[in-house]
Amino acid sequence: MKTNCAAKGVVPVPGSLQELLTEGSWKRCEAVLSAAFSGVPAQASGTILMRSGTAFCNHMICTSFVSLSGEHQAVLVQFEMEDTAQEEVARIASPVTAPNRPSKGDGEVGILEHFPDDVLIFQGSESTAQKAARLLEIIGGAHDADLLTEALDGLDADRAQCLYIPESRSFETAGSTGDRQMCELRIVPIPGPATGANGARASMVIIRRNVDCPQEIAENRRLAYLDPLTGLENRRAFTRALKRELCRLAADRETGLAIFYIDLDEFKKVNDLGGHDAGDDMLLRVAACLRLTLGEFGTAARIGGDEFAGMVPAANEEAALDVAEKILDGFDRIRLEVGDRVFTIGGSIGVAFVDSALSLRESDATVLLGLADRACLRGKRFGGRSVEIHCVEASECQSSGIELVDLPEPGSFRGNELTLYAMPIMCLEKNRICGSEILLRLQGDRARGLSSRAWISAAERSGFIAQVDGWTLDKVLDAAERNPGRSILTMNVSAESARDPSFRDGLYNRLSVNPLLASKLCLEIAEKDFLREPATVEAFFKFVSELGCQTAIDDFAGHWPVLSRLTSLRVEWLKLESSLTQQVVDEPAKAAILNGLVRAAHELGIKVIAKHVETAEEAALLRDLDIEAAQGFYFGRPEPWPGG
């Protein structure tokens, strides 16, 4: 560098390349240096300009780094120049013909004295066999000369490269790290005219002993950034990739960026009921779904036990929402069969959308993931299987962190914060109310913005749900005792309550002393709970049927594992999942499928209730399909229940 600066009339010599070169040329050099200090020999081709506009060199070559004294590291940088400058580099390099380090009196090349490794320079006139023999003479050991000769023949003479030779013949079978060391040969071409008969150029070989196997280093590096189960990126790798995307966003103002934070719903049930192998299998299926949905331009990561993240370029908020909905649709198609159980999965997704006009820094990556996490938490407050999007503003990224508010623990609520609502059930044939569904609601300041569905999901995860169901059951039975009418009261029971001995005992004690109460009570269990715990639900339905209660499968979507058991299952009602009845007026094919399902249920002696009915047209069509009962906003919204 000193020689070339003098030749170009640059006095004094700048203290760094960055001060010497133009911004564009420095960026090219910086990339090469960065690669070299990461352990990869690199080079830059093409004219590199000084700030004056004069060409500094036409080619830059860097070896991978070596360690000097203390904690310092260095790379050997060569600048390939034209005419006299090339001759000067060749003159400087030519005196070194043996691996012995030159003395300080040898001029500029004395810099090699500071390298801790052996250095050997070939003039270019040697054959590859001669080079291999000379190298093996220095390295020592029982290495195969023919293999080394073949490897040298395969090298590109115009760029810096590395060869690795095992230090021990037992390398392949060695178990300890100390027995799996390599000898590294860094072969760097020396700029200058070809001197060999075959057109070979002079080259420098830096011989470094006892280095780690590069394949193992690369594999360990790869594993450090991967989730070991799913093969997706981990949190560290995702944050790094997000930083790269923010740099891209700064340079490309045409597209924005959507960051997704995904928290699986009810994954704990898969682990608890199916075992950890089933949980791992479910995570693998979720990972495959994310890979497929985000595609080659997106990135998916597993950042926690049942928490995932993703990002993909998106033109606008609508495009980001569309991707999130596709993720949830993909989750809906996942079915995991373990014995006689069938597990499904859902998720809550928070989206942080970064508009293309927004200028952000690399350091904002963690903040963006926090904003997506906070949006996800908002979705979980409304019961899961939701998408919440947040459009990022510049001011939000100026704070050092994002505080997230956890959901209140179910056990922390007091009795006066729980209340019951009733939603009417309409008999379609007689056009009159024939029953009510009793719904749990929260009240008070702590419940503000928190749906009962979210709180109940949290209660199920914490094992508190059986106490909630027991409290609701007592209220329902108390009201039924006071009400002389024969109106049916339905309430949802969780699978946890169905298998809880205390809940069963409480139900038996109340109904055994007053059997007439049982005829007013219909206990329903969600189809997804039946799929997960068919034996538990079958036993519970048999138990309550013998007490005189009616039973129902709630949110019935027509899955075959349920259909195949209906003949032996003691159930009076199927409450249809909303997707079976919504838009049925406008889709004749959907109406035909629904008609077939209803007729099959009737042949088995099972009655049908339609949910989420909102228009008179829907009610009329459902009546024509011989559906016995319906509920929805068209017939009445949930109202505070006097009995609760």
Side-chain angles (χ1 to χ4, degrees), residues 302-315:
R302 182 187 177 204
I303 58 176
D306 61 349
E307 296 177 336
F308 292 79
M311 63 179 167
V312 69

PDB file of all heavy atoms in Angstrom, residues 302-315:
ATOM      1  N   ARG A 302     -38.466 -20.892  14.583  1.00  0.00           N
ATOM      2  CA  ARG A 302     -39.061 -21.297  15.860  1.00  0.00           C
ATOM      3  C   ARG A 302     -38.281 -20.584  16.954  1.00  0.00           C
ATOM      4  O   ARG A 302     -37.080 -20.794  17.108  1.00  0.00           O
ATOM      5  CB  ARG A 302     -38.975 -22.813  16.044  1.00  0.00           C
ATOM      6  CG  ARG A 302     -39.628 -23.298  17.346  1.00  0.00           C
ATOM      7  CD  ARG A 302     -39.379 -24.771  17.563  1.00  0.00           C
ATOM      8  NE  ARG A 302     -39.932 -25.226  18.835  1.00  0.00           N
ATOM      9  CZ  ARG A 302     -39.487 -26.289  19.488  1.00  0.00           C
ATOM     10  NH1 ARG A 302     -38.483 -27.008  18.990  1.00  0.00           N
ATOM     11  NH2 ARG A 302     -40.020 -26.634  20.638  1.00  0.00           N
ATOM     12  N   ILE A 303     -38.963 -19.731  17.705  1.00  0.00           N
ATOM     13  CA  ILE A 303     -38.259 -18.880  18.668  1.00  0.00           C
ATOM     14  C   ILE A 303     -38.576 -19.240  20.111  1.00  0.00           C
ATOM     15  O   ILE A 303     -38.101 -18.590  21.036  1.00  0.00           O
ATOM     16  CB  ILE A 303     -38.587 -17.397  18.415  1.00  0.00           C
ATOM     17  CG1 ILE A 303     -40.083 -17.154  18.500  1.00  0.00           C
ATOM     18  CG2 ILE A 303     -38.069 -16.959  17.064  1.00  0.00           C
ATOM     19  CD1 ILE A 303     -40.471 -15.700  18.350  1.00  0.00           C
ATOM     20  N   GLY A 304     -39.391 -20.283  20.312  1.00  0.00           N
ATOM     21  CA  GLY A 304     -39.722 -20.725  21.661  1.00  0.00           C
ATOM     22  C   GLY A 304     -40.369 -22.090  21.592  1.00  0.00           C
ATOM     23  O   GLY A 304     -40.405 -22.727  20.522  1.00  0.00           O
ATOM     24  N   GLY A 305     -40.885 -22.587  22.698  1.00  0.00           N
ATOM     25  CA  GLY A 305     -41.492 -23.912  22.724  1.00  0.00           C
ATOM     26  C   GLY A 305     -42.583 -24.084  21.684  1.00  0.00           C
ATOM     27  O   GLY A 305     -42.487 -24.927  20.801  1.00  0.00           O
ATOM     28  N   ASP A 306     -43.656 -23.293  21.764  1.00  0.00           N
ATOM     29  CA  ASP A 306     -44.735 -23.345  20.774  1.00  0.00           C
ATOM     30  C   ASP A 306     -44.936 -21.978  20.123  1.00  0.00           C
ATOM     31  O   ASP A 306     -46.038 -21.640  19.712  1.00  0.00           O
ATOM     32  CB  ASP A 306     -46.035 -23.838  21.417  1.00  0.00           C
ATOM     33  CG  ASP A 306     -46.536 -22.927  22.528  1.00  0.00           C
ATOM     34  OD1 ASP A 306     -45.771 -22.035  22.945  1.00  0.00           O
ATOM     35  OD2 ASP A 306     -47.691 -23.093  22.973  1.00  0.00           O
ATOM     36  N   GLU A 307     -43.856 -21.223  20.030  1.00  0.00           N
ATOM     37  CA  GLU A 307     -43.903 -19.890  19.425  1.00  0.00           C
ATOM     38  C   GLU A 307     -43.005 -19.857  18.191  1.00  0.00           C
ATOM     39  O   GLU A 307     -41.868 -20.334  18.217  1.00  0.00           O
ATOM     40  CB  GLU A 307     -43.470 -18.833  20.435  1.00  0.00           C
ATOM     41  CG  GLU A 307     -44.409 -18.725  21.629  1.00  0.00           C
ATOM     42  CD  GLU A 307     -43.921 -17.719  22.651  1.00  0.00           C
ATOM     43  OE1 GLU A 307     -42.699 -17.455  22.674  1.00  0.00           O
ATOM     44  OE2 GLU A 307     -44.738 -17.205  23.422  1.00  0.00           O
ATOM     45  N   PHE A 308     -43.539 -19.289  17.135  1.00  0.00           N
ATOM     46  CA  PHE A 308     -42.832 -19.207  15.861  1.00  0.00           C
ATOM     47  C   PHE A 308     -42.823 -17.754  15.389  1.00  0.00           C
ATOM     48  O   PHE A 308     -43.600 -16.923  15.868  1.00  0.00           O
ATOM     49  CB  PHE A 308     -43.507 -20.080  14.804  1.00  0.00           C
ATOM     50  CG  PHE A 308     -43.406 -21.561  15.078  1.00  0.00           C
ATOM     51  CD1 PHE A 308     -44.239 -22.172  16.002  1.00  0.00           C
ATOM     52  CD2 PHE A 308     -42.483 -22.342  14.406  1.00  0.00           C
ATOM     53  CE1 PHE A 308     -44.156 -23.529  16.266  1.00  0.00           C
ATOM     54  CE2 PHE A 308     -42.382 -23.706  14.652  1.00  0.00           C
ATOM     55  CZ  PHE A 308     -43.215 -24.296  15.582  1.00  0.00           C
ATOM     56  N   ALA A 309     -41.944 -17.463  14.463  1.00  0.00           N
ATOM     57  CA  ALA A 309     -41.894 -16.133  13.856  1.00  0.00           C
ATOM     58  C   ALA A 309     -41.698 -16.302  12.354  1.00  0.00           C
ATOM     59  O   ALA A 309     -41.233 -17.349  11.884  1.00  0.00           O
ATOM     60  CB  ALA A 309     -40.764 -15.294  14.461  1.00  0.00           C
ATOM     61  N   GLY A 310     -42.055 -15.285  11.629  1.00  0.00           N
ATOM     62  CA  GLY A 310     -41.862 -15.309  10.187  1.00  0.00           C
ATOM     63  C   GLY A 310     -41.813 -13.897   9.646  1.00  0.00           C
ATOM     64  O   GLY A 310     -42.188 -12.941  10.331  1.00  0.00           O
ATOM     65  N   MET A 311     -41.314 -13.766   8.450  1.00  0.00           N
ATOM     66  CA  MET A 311     -41.351 -12.467   7.779  1.00  0.00           C
ATOM     67  C   MET A 311     -41.353 -12.700   6.273  1.00  0.00           C
ATOM     68  O   MET A 311     -40.859 -13.723   5.777  1.00  0.00           O
ATOM     69  CB  MET A 311     -40.157 -11.595   8.184  1.00  0.00           C
ATOM     70  CG  MET A 311     -38.808 -12.138   7.796  1.00  0.00           C
ATOM     71  SD  MET A 311     -37.493 -11.000   8.307  1.00  0.00           S
ATOM     72  CE  MET A 311     -36.057 -12.048   8.111  1.00  0.00           C
ATOM     73  N   VAL A 312     -41.934 -11.758   5.568  1.00  0.00           N
ATOM     74  CA  VAL A 312     -42.014 -11.854   4.121  1.00  0.00           C
ATOM     75  C   VAL A 312     -42.219 -10.442   3.567  1.00  0.00           C
ATOM     76  O   VAL A 312     -42.887  -9.614   4.202  1.00  0.00           O
ATOM     77  CB  VAL A 312     -43.183 -12.783   3.708  1.00  0.00           C
ATOM     78  CG1 VAL A 312     -44.534 -12.157   4.027  1.00  0.00           C
ATOM     79  CG2 VAL A 312     -43.096 -13.168   2.247  1.00  0.00           C
ATOM     80  N   PRO A 313     -41.607 -10.108   2.436  1.00  0.00           N
ATOM     81  CA  PRO A 313     -41.889  -8.804   1.816  1.00  0.00           C
ATOM     82  C   PRO A 313     -43.371  -8.695   1.484  1.00  0.00           C
ATOM     83  O   PRO A 313     -43.987  -9.652   1.008  1.00  0.00           O
ATOM     84  CB  PRO A 313     -41.034  -8.829   0.546  1.00  0.00           C
ATOM     85  CG  PRO A 313     -39.949  -9.823   0.821  1.00  0.00           C
ATOM     86  CD  PRO A 313     -40.579 -10.869   1.690  1.00  0.00           C
ATOM     87  N   ALA A 314     -43.954  -7.536   1.773  1.00  0.00           N
ATOM     88  CA  ALA A 314     -45.387  -7.331   1.534  1.00  0.00           C
ATOM     89  C   ALA A 314     -45.604  -5.911   1.040  1.00  0.00           C
ATOM     90  O   ALA A 314     -45.036  -4.958   1.590  1.00  0.00           O
ATOM     91  CB  ALA A 314     -46.192  -7.580   2.805  1.00  0.00           C
ATOM     92  N   ALA A 315     -46.428  -5.768   0.022  1.00  0.00           N
ATOM     93  CA  ALA A 315     -46.656  -4.451  -0.576  1.00  0.00           C
ATOM     94  C   ALA A 315     -47.454  -3.542   0.343  1.00  0.00           C
ATOM     95  O   ALA A 315     -47.228  -2.332   0.387  1.00  0.00           O
ATOM     96  CB  ALA A 315     -47.376  -4.604  -1.915  1.00  0.00           C
TER      97      ALA A 315
END
